[in-house]
Amino acid sequence: MRIGELAARAGTTTRTLRYYEARGLLHGRRAENGYRSYDESDLKLLRQIRTLQDFGFDLEETRPFVECLRSGHPEGDTCPASIDVYRRKLDELDSLIGELQAIRAKIGVRLATVDGTDPLCELGGQEL
């Protein structure tokens, strides 16, 4: 398929696909007429990238998943490098959740101070 068809099927733009090519995540083959040519495996790579980005992964974090698919694995998250990225992302999310919980607790205490409510009610029953 040509770049426009791939972009449409992947729900993205040709500009994005060219950017992915420049970053080495997508490898279009050139047909005799000079047009880029792609197949279903390229669509699978793009879907993997898009899913991971929807989960909050940056583009570089998708690289191990793409490489895993390219190496012949049926899924991009079955290789050790991909699993390592998952672990790092979970650690990052856990840290962010902890920071947000601490901020929420401070806001709950402040709200209780200014309006006289029970801070545990504002925190959904969670202790400070």
Side-chain angles (χ1 to χ4, degrees), residues 23 33 51 65 69 71 79 86 95 100 107 112 114 124:
R23 298 288 304 267
N33 60 9
T51 298
F65 298 85
L69 285 170
S71 70
C79 295
Y86 272 156
S95 177
L100 289 171
I107 292 171
V114 297

Side-chain angles (χ1 to χ4, degrees), residues 25 34 41 49 54-55 57-58 60 72 75 81 104 113 115 125 127:
L25 293 169
S41 66
I49 292 169
D54 288 347
F55 289 164
F57 289 72
D58 67 37
E60 194 56 35
E75 299 296 329
R104 187 183 193 294
T113 301
D115 81 355
E127 292 196 32

Side-chain angles (χ1 to χ4, degrees), residues 45 63-76 78-80 82:
L45 290 174
R63 189 172 300 279
F65 298 85
V66 169
E67 290 171 356
C68 188
L69 285 170
R70 276 201 194 118
S71 70
H73 292 267
E75 299 296 329
T78 57
C79 295
S82 302

Side-chain angles (χ1 to χ4, degrees), residues 1 6 9-10 17 20 25-26 29 38-52 62 65-70 72-78:
M1 75 187 91
L6 178 63
R9 289 184 63 193
L17 298 184
Y20 290 171
L25 293 169
L26 184 64
R29 291 150 300 283
Y38 302 92
D39 59 26
E40 293 298 318
S41 66
D42 296 309
L43 181 59
K44 187 172 185 174
L45 290 174
L46 286 173
R47 287 183 175 151
Q48 177 77 79
I49 292 169
R50 301 279 300 189
T51 298
L52 291 168
T62 70
F65 298 85
V66 169
E67 290 171 356
C68 188
L69 285 170
R70 276 201 194 118
H73 292 267
E75 299 296 329
D77 59 2
T78 57

